[in-house]
Amino acid sequence: MKTKARNCPTESSAANPGCPCRANAPTHRGRRRALKLGLLGAAWSPLTVFAARKPGKMRPQAGDHLVFAYGERQGEIISPGDLTLNAKPIEAYPKQLASNVIRDRSRLNALLLVRLDPQTLPPTMDKYAANGLVAYSAVCTHTGCTVEGWDPATQQMSCPCHGSQYAAGNAAKVLMGPAPKPLAMLPLSINSGELTVAGAFSRKVGFKVNKY
Amino acid sequence: MNRRKHPIKLGLLILALSLTSAMQADDLFNNNASNLKSGTLLKDRPTYSPVTEQRLTKPEARNWLMYRGTYDSQGYSPLDQINAKNVHQLKPSWTFSTGMREAHQAPPVVNDGYMFVTTPHNHLLALDARNGELLWRYERELPEDQVQMHPTNRGVALHGDYVYMATADAYLVALNARTGKVEWEQEVEDYASGYYMTMAPLAASGKIMVGVSGGEFGIRGFIAAFDAKTGKPAWKTYTIPAPGEPGSESWPGDTWKTGGVPVWITGSYDPASKTTYWGTGNGGPWMGDARPGDNLYATSVIALDVDSGKLRGHHQYHWNDSWDWDEVSAPLLLDFQRNGKTVKGLVHPGRNGYLWFLERGKEKINFVDAKPYVKQDVFKSIDPVTGRPEYNLERKPATGKVTTFCPSSWGGKDWPPAAFNPQTRLLYIPANDNVCGKLKGQEAEYREGQLYLGAALEEFEVVLHEDAKDYIGELQAWNVDTAEKAWSVKFKSHNWGPILATAGDLVFAGGTNDRYFRAYNARSGKLLWQQRTNSGVIGVPVSYEIDGVQYIAVQSGYGVDAEREQALLNLSKGTTTYVPQGGVIWVFALEKENNQ
Ligand code: FES
């Protein structure tokens, strides 16, 4: 029977051992093997965790650059000049320059990069915005679609799947639709003209299944 | 302080001890312990009646063994203890909160005392159908990076000692019906490429069959069969032919690779000819001009040999879809009269707003007739021999254009199944009228696993016909022998209520945004009974009998497209209607004293 390595977020499992990682939920032979490996890993955790941190899957890290996720310039580093005021957000992925790795192995790293008027941003966004440049997680907090829609007049980001609308100029506050939470923000900084990530996401990315 | 701690400690100790013994008793550790929440001890569970091929072909009246009760998809129960005379005495017998949000659409499938219910995010509950006692609960761990365009699941299939669920991460899982132990699981496709599953599988001829969702994500649709015992793949038939295969000329260039045509509702099955009948979704991306041609076998019914998966025939309801009119509901298999002859028929109230009557020939599906059952402004005419519609091209969405058309993309009827009562000869359709759609076509770029739509969803709107002030939702009844409408019940609300017909001369359905679940007289449409529930009832209702008591069961739990349509209707009407979420299984019976 075909078994498949799942996109288990090893780095978040390490940070949060309670994370429901599928490799720890053995349901047949392949999974059981995975469980054994997992147990082994738990025994030697510092080493294993280090080895398991695949840079392509890791959440964005401080110092990462951002690259175009799609299109003609896919993979090219995004500089502040690539962003136009109130224009449709650019879809981006973080990239670690030292290892030359784009962190596109998990779609939970997909970002929306937008330039807004810094004068209009609320103080809650100070920690995250860099001269009006803001990076949001592209993954809708409802059930995970990519938030693709954009209204330049209102600076609203919208999710095509069930119509959630987020206010780009107000920390992705949910304005409409089933999304339970704002999109995560990723802090940015600009140093000598280079746009980089300044820290971790403001909250867990992706969606959560509501359970009893 | 100290004194208080002791009882807690003691309690924990007792809990730990009892859990340990429960787990040992149930041998939960040998398999998917982390996914299984045990409700009762194994020894206290009823014995399980294996589901044989014979039972599937002729299910006992007391059971509801599959999605629509029987292979012909009629959604009809021969039970009549609850009937038009006494239904006003119907009372809730028990309820069970699933603890989940989103769309609860699955029928409670019942086999001699065991009830199986699936919820969004692929939880599977086994309950004692008598009293709602939880026997076991399986909770699938879904990958956290997946997209759930349609957080729902439409139920289980039963075969032998196993119960089967198709999952949102595109696996088919077989569990032991009595213990909840996962016997095998099989990847059907890669969820990262946009595939997912929401349908109840179809069990027939030793196989478990599933179709895949993902029409909005650039998949290539298919139906696949697996050995019921082992999960070994048996066959896989694509809904889009590859170059060189018949029908491939209807897909230009490479469009066949990402052309959609999902199958996300359980097929019907004719055991006499060993043929399964499936409804197929629309081509992708949405704008037909992105894939000029008829796009076989999109928006069609296809007939597949149950043992080989070989295509035996098809009928395309409409060509080169540009409206998102998936025709995924499987046709009902029933005989109807035409011009003094009995036709072995396929009947399908289409999302395109036409009611289709077809004939299931030996190696061919023949067109009989079709007529609109809601306002439809797209078809100019229908070829009387082939059934091929001619379009009013102004009503056909295209890239770079804004087009309005009726009915909306949700159609005259979306997925909620129609039902047929062989005694009244009436087909019951959960319809929506007076809601038209507005689509702006745009170019789509394919990216694996991402939305591949071809329409600006920000500008996706509903446009109301002036009659919408009178009604939108309808419960329609059509005589299948005369192809005439017999009666209709109209609602101000849109209607997403799957239908159950019973021999008690009753029709059961919810579907409206006021959270009611209702019973109607099957011959007149007169409202006979209603119960307000926790949420909107978009679940498939069923009926079963245990120990001489007939029950009606349904899930209440609003979500997905019904909710999305409500949001757009609110925008368009300036209303603020809110339908709460959260799933509850409701089971009704006549009041005790009247049972005896
Ligand atoms: S996934 Fe975005 S609104 Fe549902």
Side-chain angles (χ1 to χ4, degrees):
Chain A
M1 215 168 296
K2 193 177 168 195
T3 55
K4 245 190 97 176
R6 313 307 306 242
N7 285 342
C8 180
T10 34
E11 73 284 3
S12 59
S13 303
N16 171 14
C19 159
C21 167
R22 297 198 47 153
N24 289 334
T27 41
H28 53 112
R29 228 178 299 143
R31 294 270 168 86
R32 261 204 292 276
R33 226 177 292 137
L35 175 67
K36 277 190 197 147
L37 283 175
L39 288 176
L40 224 61
W44 296 336
S45 77
L47 203 83
T48 322
V49 166
F50 183 71
R53 282 179 177 238
K54 287 211 181 97
K57 279 190 169 191
M58 274 172 81
R59 295 290 158 270
Q61 304 290 312
D64 282 357
H65 286 66
L66 299 174
V67 299
F68 289 93
Y70 300 106
E72 275 165 24
R73 297 182 62 192
Q74 181 172 2
E76 281 181 33
I77 290 182
I78 300 171
S79 63
D82 291 321
L83 289 135
T84 315
L85 185 70
N86 295 341
K88 187 175 162 84
I90 294 177
E91 290 183 50
Y93 276 116
K95 176 174 183 173
Q96 187 179 43
L97 276 197
S99 62
N100 199 28
V101 167
I102 298 175
R103 305 194 198 277
D104 61 358
R105 303 296 299 149
S106 167
R107 62 179 292 275
L108 296 181
N109 288 338
L111 299 168
L112 298 169
L113 200 55
V114 62
R115 180 188 285 279
L116 303 166
D117 178 356
Q119 303 303 318
T120 62
L121 299 183
T124 45
M125 292 177 68
D126 286 354
K127 249 173 72 188
Y128 300 95
N131 197 19
L133 299 191
V134 187
Y136 289 108
S137 161
V139 181
C140 187
T141 61
H142 177 226
T143 51
C145 289
T146 303
V147 177
E148 291 182 355
W150 175 251
D151 182 347
T154 58
Q155 289 109 53
Q156 283 178 18
M157 304 177 279
S158 57
C159 177
C161 284
H162 317 99
S164 288
Q165 303 237 358
Y166 300 92
N170 189 12
K173 186 175 174 223
V174 181
L175 300 173
M176 201 184 116
K181 286 185 304 188
L183 300 171
M185 277 188 285
L186 186 68
L188 299 177
S189 66
I190 301 175
N191 295 316
S192 28
E194 275 189 41
L195 177 65
T196 54
V197 174
F201 273 121
S202 60
R203 57 164 73 234
K204 194 173 180 309
V205 286
F207 70 98
K208 196 170 156 264
V209 172
N210 283 293
K211 282 208 286 204
Y212 50 96
Chain B
M1 289 291 275
N2 270 348
R3 259 169 54 258
R4 271 200 198 153
K5 270 186 184 165
H6 286 299
I8 295 178
K9 271 188 192 160
L10 193 65
L12 283 177
L13 190 69
I14 291 171
L15 185 71
L17 283 174
S18 60
L19 275 181
T20 317
S21 63
M23 282 174 166
Q24 278 164 356
D26 284 1
D27 192 22
L28 288 182
F29 281 125
N30 74 359
N31 203 280
N32 55 331
S34 63
N35 283 352
L36 199 59
K37 301 264 188 307
S38 187
T40 57
L41 293 182
L42 196 52
K43 67 178 172 54
D44 296 333
R45 295 179 196 166
T47 52
Y48 187 76
S49 326
V51 177
T52 58
E53 299 277 337
Q54 204 179 0
R55 292 186 63 208
L56 285 169
T57 305
K58 272 199 184 4
E60 311 84 14
R62 67 177 186 276
N63 285 320
W64 195 274
L65 296 181
M66 64 190 84
Y67 178 62
R68 294 304 283 144
T70 45
Y71 277 144
D72 53 23
S73 295
Q74 292 184 3
Y76 173 76
S77 166
L79 299 175
D80 61 0
Q81 183 182 80
I82 301 166
N83 56 50
K85 287 205 184 75
N86 61 18
V87 68
H88 63 277
Q89 294 162 353
L90 203 61
K91 286 274 168 350
S93 193
W94 56 265
T95 60
F96 188 98
S97 174
T98 68
M100 306 295 284
R101 291 170 58 86
E102 306 292 352
H104 285 66
Q105 302 178 331
V109 166
V110 177
N111 177 24
D112 286 343
Y114 276 77
M115 174 186 284
F116 302 98
V117 179
T118 61
T119 75
H121 308 297
N122 296 114
H123 289 204
L124 169 45
L125 316 181
L127 300 152
D128 187 326
R130 254 168 289 253
N131 51 28
E133 190 72 40
L134 178 69
L135 302 176
W136 53 263
R137 176 176 188 129
Y138 167 81
E139 301 183 358
R140 187 160 182 83
E141 298 283 6
L142 293 167
E144 68 165 13
D145 64 343
Q146 85 166 144
V147 174
Q148 283 212 25
M149 179 88 166
H150 297 97
T152 185
N153 186 273
R154 300 193 177 88
V156 299
L158 304 179
H159 192 279
D161 291 325
Y162 293 178
V163 49
Y164 305 85
M165 175 168 64
T167 72
D169 55 341
Y171 271 69
L172 177 60
V173 186
L175 303 98
N176 183 296
R178 185 150 179 270
T179 64
K181 180 182 157 214
V182 173
E183 298 286 358
W184 52 259
E185 61 171 48
Q186 175 68 44
E187 186 186 45
V188 175
E189 251 301 347
D190 186 353
Y191 77 86
S193 305
Y195 291 86
Y196 59 103
M197 296 197 292
T198 55
M199 66 152 61
L202 173 64
S205 196
K207 286 169 197 69
I208 308 299
M209 285 155 275
V210 290
V212 286
S213 306
E216 276 78 38
F217 292 83
I219 63 153
R220 180 180 174 213
F222 63 85
I223 297 158
F226 300 87
D227 182 89
K229 277 234 162 60
T230 63
K232 214 177 126 229
W235 52 259
K236 179 172 181 176
T237 300
Y238 282 99
T239 52
I240 305 179
E245 292 173 355
S248 58
E249 66 288 348
S250 66
W251 294 88
D254 277 346
T255 54
W256 62 279
K257 290 182 181 164
T258 53
V261 196
V263 176
W264 46 270
I265 292 291
T266 316
S268 303
Y269 177 53
D270 182 351
S273 63
K274 302 209 90 184
T275 308
T276 58
Y277 294 89
W278 303 82
T280 64
N282 55 293
W286 282 4
M287 294 305 113
D289 56 18
R291 42 179 165 76
D294 279 7
N295 308 138
L296 293 173
Y297 300 96
T299 50
S300 303
V301 50
I302 54 175
L304 303 184
D305 180 280
V306 72
D307 290 322
S308 65
K310 193 177 155 273
L311 184 76
R312 282 195 172 155
H314 78 280
H315 173 82
Q316 188 172 49
Y317 299 111
H318 63 270
W319 47 276
N320 192 244
D321 179 276
S322 304
W323 304 269
D324 185 31
W325 286 336
D326 291 77
E327 297 295 356
V328 286
S329 289
L332 284 74
L333 310 191
L334 57 94
D335 294 351
F336 57 84
Q337 302 297 312
R338 272 307 179 280
N339 310 320
K341 281 204 209 104
T342 301
V343 180
K344 278 165 76 73
L346 297 168
V347 180
H348 173 62
R351 190 145 147 186
N352 60 26
Y354 273 62
L355 172 55
W356 299 86
F357 289 91
L358 309 171
E359 180 185 29
R360 45 187 211 276
K362 261 225 152 67
E363 296 292 322
K364 200 167 168 255
I365 295 173
N366 301 312
F367 172 73
V368 177
D369 51 42
K371 55 163 77 168
Y373 64 94
V374 292
K375 296 181 184 79
Q376 212 267 25
D377 63 6
V378 173
F379 294 179
K380 278 209 293 213
S381 62
I382 295 224
D383 185 291
V385 178
T386 63
R388 183 184 172 86
E390 195 191 326
Y391 297 152
N392 174 357
L393 289 177
E394 274 173 22
R395 298 272 171 247
K396 188 168 186 281
T399 307
K401 256 180 49 180
V402 178
T403 310
T404 51
F405 52 90
C406 313
S408 77
S409 294
W410 288 300
K413 182 192 86 67
D414 202 283
W415 77 273
F420 175 67
N421 181 330
Q423 297 177 345
T424 62
R425 304 294 299 157
L426 296 178
L427 171 78
Y428 305 99
I429 307 173
N432 283 300
D433 201 358
N434 299 324
V435 180
C436 305
K438 187 160 149 188
L439 276 183
K440 181 178 175 191
Q442 64 182 24
E443 268 174 41
E445 187 195 336
Y446 175 78
R447 306 161 182 178
E448 188 180 7
Q450 297 280 344
L451 204 66
Y452 183 53
L453 200 68
L457 266 193
E458 311 89 89
E459 292 174 57
F460 185 76
E461 272 177 51
V462 294
V463 179
L464 297 180
H465 188 276
E466 58 174 11
D467 292 348
K469 64 183 185 319
D470 300 325
Y471 73 99
I472 291 176
E474 268 188 287
L475 168 60
Q476 298 186 1
W478 285 72
N479 184 308
V480 296
D481 299 319
T482 60
E484 294 295 336
K485 186 154 68 173
W487 52 259
S488 149
V489 179
K490 296 176 159 57
F491 310 101
K492 290 255 190 300
S493 160
H494 54 316
N495 177 16
W496 284 77
I499 294 181
L500 164 71
T502 74
D505 258 348
L506 292 170
V507 175
F508 288 90
T512 48
N513 61 13
D514 55 11
R515 314 195 321 265
Y516 277 101
F517 182 55
R518 300 181 170 97
Y520 305 88
N521 183 305
R523 292 172 197 272
S524 66
K526 189 174 169 228
L527 178 67
L528 298 177
W529 169 88
Q530 60 182 351
Q531 168 75 46
R532 201 157 211 186
T533 71
N534 54 300
S535 181
V537 181
I538 55 174
V540 178
V542 308
S543 190
Y544 62 95
E545 184 188 278
I546 304 179
D547 301 335
V549 180
Q550 183 188 353
Y551 297 92
I552 305 290
V554 72
Q555 292 203 84
S556 176
Y558 215 56
V560 195
D561 283 278
E563 186 186 48
R564 177 103 172 95
E565 185 170 8
Q566 181 64 62
L568 291 192
L569 286 171
N570 278 347
L571 277 183
S572 145
K573 296 207 265 189
T575 50
T576 54
T577 305
Y578 166 72
V579 185
Q581 285 205 354
V584 172
I585 305 163
W586 288 76
V587 176
F588 304 94
L590 294 175
E591 270 181 300
K592 264 266 156 53
E593 49 272 29
N594 299 301
N595 261 334
Q596 290 159 358

